Amino acid sequence: MSTPADADRMLTALVRLRGALQTAELPLDLADAAEHRVARQEMVDQLEDYIIPRLMTMEAPLLTVVGGSTGAGKSTLVNSLVGSRVTTPGVLRPTTRSPVLVHHPDDATWFGQDRLLPDLERVHPHTDDPDALQLVPSDSLPPGLAILDAPDVDSVEERNRLLAAQLLAAADLWLFVTSAARYADQVPWGFLKQAAERSTSVAIVLDRTPEEATQTVATHLARMLASRGLKDSPLFVVTEGKVDDEGLLPADHVAEIRAWLASLAADAEARGSVVKQTLEGAIRTVGRRAYVVADAAAEQVRTAEQLRADADAAYDRAVAAVSEASADGTLLRGEVLARWQEFVGTGELLRSLEARVGWIRDRVVNAVKGKPQQAERVTVAVESGLETLILEHAEAAAERAAAAWQQTDAGRSLLQASGDDLGRASRDLRHRAETAVRDWQNDILEMVRHEGADKRSTARFLAFGVNGLSVALMIVVFAHTAGVTGAEAGIAGGSAVVGQKLLEAVFGDQAVRSMAERARRSLEQRVGALLDEDRARYGAMIDGLQVQPQAADRVREAARRIDDLRFAASRLGMGQEGTEGTL
Ligand SMILES: Nc1nc2c(ncn2[C@@H]2O[C@H](COP(=O)(O)OP(=O)(O)OP(=O)(O)O)[C@@H](O)[C@H]2O)c(=O)[nH]1
Ligand SMILES: [Mg+2]
């Protein structure tokens, strides 16, 4: 960030990264998703709470966040540093739930809602509200320095722990407080490790140390700090002292820390380098972690597509199966066949099929004359046969799709979240199937009526009737791929041949072929649409996730841009100053 223009470019890249991260939601329960979600939220928070506002106002006061172990004496330390009771210490753990920010009265403008930690509402009187930030102006702090008392990082209350982490992520400088009794605890060290990795500026306060233990404990702690990459962090030891009625420690106990902070406040350059170290470390870390989130987001998109494809495959198969079974003679059995034979007669008809076509036609005409109820019965049988076929395959599709989803964690939790029994056909499918089949039968009636418009008065047309011809057309459709050329195709095939001949006698070969083709297409469309509605239940679950296919690339692009700007800045820095450079 050598020039204001460089800083602007970096700011743009960071704002873009924040936007990209916000769209990179990770709704599917993939392995590690929980971890990535936390990381993503932490990054968005830190960009909003600290990095972006800080970069926009580099001249803002140094924000020192006092964080650390529960009951280590953080609030007492803040009060003692300020010299009056600005935040409430307490015997009951945890005491501090709502952060308190103390600043010089002249610096008030820097800590408005529009700057750092924008989601914490600014309040002036004391509060326990964890969503509020209590602002306390105090003359006893020098301008350019603000101190924030945070909740305990290892709190028994999760809300406290999260808030403490968020506040530390918004700090220019950590004043990390631990006590002689607690300095070896694990949680605080987790935070310190993070600070070391991110090059956050940290000073350690070993609080409440009994006089006689000072040497041993301080030496041990210093060694621990060095081995964890924090050897350059100042270490202050505060010996255990008596607190006064106000809960303040004697001034000399905190004099050293106070002096150090005052010297930072007074020295713009020193202050600037503390801020720069933390800010640059935060930008570097966010940039690096962004790639991990981008990978996770890409994995979400892949998984969502796979789940969708699994459901689609299950339903495609059902559509194909219904289409096949409604054309290969499968339906020309049982009830449909029996009713059809009742309508056109059998035996004799079929036996002499090859020989005397003309004769058959006449026989059929005679056979069906005046039997409209029989045609109606065929229609009813077709209806129920088709419905059963569709329902069977819809059930099978739902089972297959659910079974495929059951195989992954992500799919399993989607099934659970659906609240609907996705493993079964939808509840209203039977009703919708009835309607669809009836609509299809109406299509056929329409077709026959239309095709027969100029033949209405012929004897044959009259003999079969629109209904009779329509059921014949259905029968022909059902035998489409079963072969309709002769009796060798079996009874079903033979029955279809009768239907075919019958239609041909009225409409002619060409017209029958085309009608059968159209009737078949219409059936496929209706069945397809019907099953699509069931399939859509799965699609809706995926759509509801709002997984953004572009998000991963956008995150990666923004992170790369940040890398480039950091690299350019460091080269510039080396060229000009012969040092390691800036960002
Ligand atoms: N005698 C003595 N008591 C102290 C000292 N520091 C803190 N205490 C007491 O220890 C208790 C906890 O101190 P706090 O300042 O509330 O500790 P904290 O770290 O802010 O606690 P949380 O906000 O709950 O995490 C209070 O009763 C303090 O009065 C100290 O140096 N000497
Ligand atoms: Mg406290």
Side-chain angles (χ1 to χ4, degrees), residues 68-77 88-97 149-154 160 177 207-209 238-243 247 249 253:
S69 315
T70 188
K74 300 180 291 298
S75 302
T76 302
L77 182 70
T88 319
V91 190
L92 295 172
R93 298 275 71 74
T95 306
T96 309
R97 289 188 165 80
D149 182 23
D152 39 355
V153 293
D154 48 359
N160 265 10
V177 184
D207 211 359
R208 311 196 60 172
T209 318
V238 177
T239 47
E240 170 83 37
K242 249 190 150 43
V243 295
L249 287 165
H253 279 63

Side-chain angles (χ1 to χ4, degrees), residues 441-452:
Q441 290 178 326
N442 282 334
D443 290 349
I444 291 200
L445 279 172
E446 257 326 294
M447 222 181 276
V448 167
R449 259 191 218 114
H450 181 78
E451 202 67 40

Side-chain angles (χ1 to χ4, degrees), residues 277-290:
Q277 181 186 327
T278 301
L279 182 58
E280 288 174 5
I283 293 175
R284 189 190 67 228
T285 309
V286 157
R288 201 190 57 223
R289 292 173 89 198

Side-chain angles (χ1 to χ4, degrees), residues 230-269:
L230 290 166
K231 72 172 169 22
D232 295 332
S233 300
L235 169 60
F236 298 99
V237 180
V238 177
T239 47
E240 170 83 37
K242 249 190 150 43
V243 295
D244 65 12
D245 295 346
E246 281 285 276
L248 270 61
L249 287 165
D252 62 325
H253 279 63
V254 295
E256 199 191 350
I257 304 176
R258 209 180 136 80
W260 182 68
L261 288 174
S263 70
L264 272 182
D267 181 348
E269 205 175 306

Side-chain angles (χ1 to χ4, degrees), residues 481-493:
T481 57
V484 288
T485 49
E488 76 274 10
I491 289 186

Side-chain angles (χ1 to χ4, degrees), residues 28 300-316 401 404-405 408 411 414 535-549:
L28 284 168
Q300 293 263 332
V301 173
R302 267 195 299 279
T303 307
E305 276 166 10
Q306 185 57 52
L307 289 169
R308 195 193 296 277
D310 287 346
D312 276 342
Y315 279 91
D316 286 346
W405 281 26
T408 62
L414 277 185
R535 174 201 310 253
R537 298 175 304 162
Y538 284 87
M541 291 302 295
I542 302 283
D543 294 341
L545 297 171
Q546 308 247 20
V547 175
Q548 306 287 328

